[in-house]
Amino acid sequence: MSIARRAAFALLAAAGLAGTPALAQTTITIQHPLPTNSHYGAGAAALKESFERATGGRYRVNIQRNDNEREIVESVQIGTVECYIGSTGPVGNFVPAVRVVDVPFLFRDYAHARGALDSEVGQQILAQFQPRGLVGVIWLENGFRHLTNSRREVNAPADVRGLKVRTMENQVHMRAFSTLGALPTPMAFSELVPALQQGTVDGQENPIPVIVANNLNQVQRYLTLTGHVYSPGLLICNPAMLQAMTPADRAAFMEAARAAQRANRERVSADEASGVDELRRRGMQVVTQVDTAAFQAALAAAFAQYERELDAATLRRLRDWQ
Ligand code: PAF
């Protein structure tokens, strides 16, 4: 019997109802790859608060950290973990239709990304999780990714040439970095800091909130605000877990997912506003003036390949969303 179930039983016993069956409590474990004090931590906490309150303690949400996103998605697929909060980084390896959202310079800004993903086109992508044994519950957010490295200031695409850059296990991102002449090295986030310390890689790319929350300034000197790709987040759950819920509990779970989305995006916005100054204060050398058009031009061959290999119609609908 779980601790909570024992506690419920003890209460009943104290009330003279020891013969009455104890209240059943179901535990849902959500894993995410970042510290509690982060944009994913904020989303997970909001979901927990909302769902536990709405279900009057019949459900307990257990939040755990696991900084290997691929491993979490695998666990959700086989049902040993109920839900994933994380980036789309490795998700295209499970649900290939997701890869379109990982294309560089697809979204102009946060309003564009959030609006397009919450619109019908974003919902159509989420609908493609089910045949892969997963439920794409709602879009969350990681943020626009920027490049850091320990070698040199990056001012132009040519400065990226020859850099060993850790990427997520994401074919779309790897294609972009190889097109720029970098040496993309895919690995789980859990391996990143040792790889930077040992010089296995020179650089990495992540949103400002991730760089701040993980103190990457301790292993990286140069930051360039490339904003080269928007990194969406996702809440993904195990289908059997959701099917086992009553319709009312499922509706409460969806409401909790929307609370998670609000808290997660609010935290990304807040961290973006203060993060660059914080990284400068911690000693990073920051390049803020970036010639985005030059990076886009340098990626022309990659864009042509995405048009051929990904769902070009969806790509266009996301890009043109107003
Ligand atoms: O770089 C990554 O792997 C991801 O951006 C991270 C830090 C795990 C957050 O989703």
Side-chain angles (χ1 to χ4, degrees), residues 254-309:
M254 274 314 299
E255 190 48 48
R258 284 188 283 274
Q261 186 191 62
R262 280 192 299 277
N264 158 256
R265 287 177 176 174
E266 276 166 18
R267 183 59 193 266
V268 171
S269 298
D271 286 358
E272 281 275 352
S274 61
V276 174
D277 283 345
E278 174 60 17
L279 292 170
R280 260 200 210 99
R281 204 186 55 74
R282 294 185 196 173
M284 283 193 101
Q285 208 165 301
V286 187
V287 174
T288 52
Q289 297 304 314
V290 177
D291 185 350
T292 301
F295 277 91
Q296 287 171 326
L299 285 171
F303 289 134
Q305 182 147 1
Y306 300 142
E307 289 283 334
R308 281 197 305 276
E309 290 180 359

Side-chain angles (χ1 to χ4, degrees), residues 32-34 39-40 65-69 84-90 141-143 145 166-169 173 187-190 192 204-207 210-211 214 216 231-233:
H32 71 82
L34 294 177
H39 50 298
Y40 292 156
R65 183 176 180 190
N66 176 352
D67 50 11
N68 186 325
E69 292 188 323
Y84 166 86
I85 288 181
S87 75
T88 50
E141 183 160 83
N142 192 21
R145 300 179 82 87
R166 175 269 174 178
T167 66
M168 297 194 286
E169 296 167 282
H173 292 186
M187 65 180 78
F189 190 65
S190 49
L192 174 62
Q204 66 87 45
E205 40 86 59
N206 250 304
V210 173
I211 301 170
N214 293 280
L216 295 183
S231 183

Side-chain angles (χ1 to χ4, degrees), residues 145-154 159-160 163-167 177 183 185 187 189 191-208 210-212 214-226 228 275-276 278-287:
R145 300 179 82 87
H146 305 286
L147 183 65
T148 69
N149 83 96
S150 55
R151 297 247 161 224
R152 55 181 171 260
E153 210 174 84
V154 169
D159 301 326
V160 178
L163 284 180
K164 283 180 278 171
V165 179
R166 175 269 174 178
T167 66
F177 278 95
L183 303 164
T185 310
M187 65 180 78
F189 190 65
E191 297 165 40
L192 174 62
V193 170
L196 289 169
Q197 278 164 340
Q198 289 155 20
T200 316
V201 291
D202 306 311
Q204 66 87 45
E205 40 86 59
N206 250 304
I208 296 296
V210 173
I211 301 170
V212 173
N214 293 280
N215 294 312
L216 295 183
N217 49 284
Q218 290 173 359
V219 277
Q220 297 279 267
R221 168 123 201 247
Y222 304 102
L223 164 66
T224 299
L225 300 183
T226 44
H228 53 276
V276 174
E278 174 60 17
L279 292 170
R280 260 200 210 99
R281 204 186 55 74
R282 294 185 196 173
M284 283 193 101
Q285 208 165 301
V286 187
V287 174

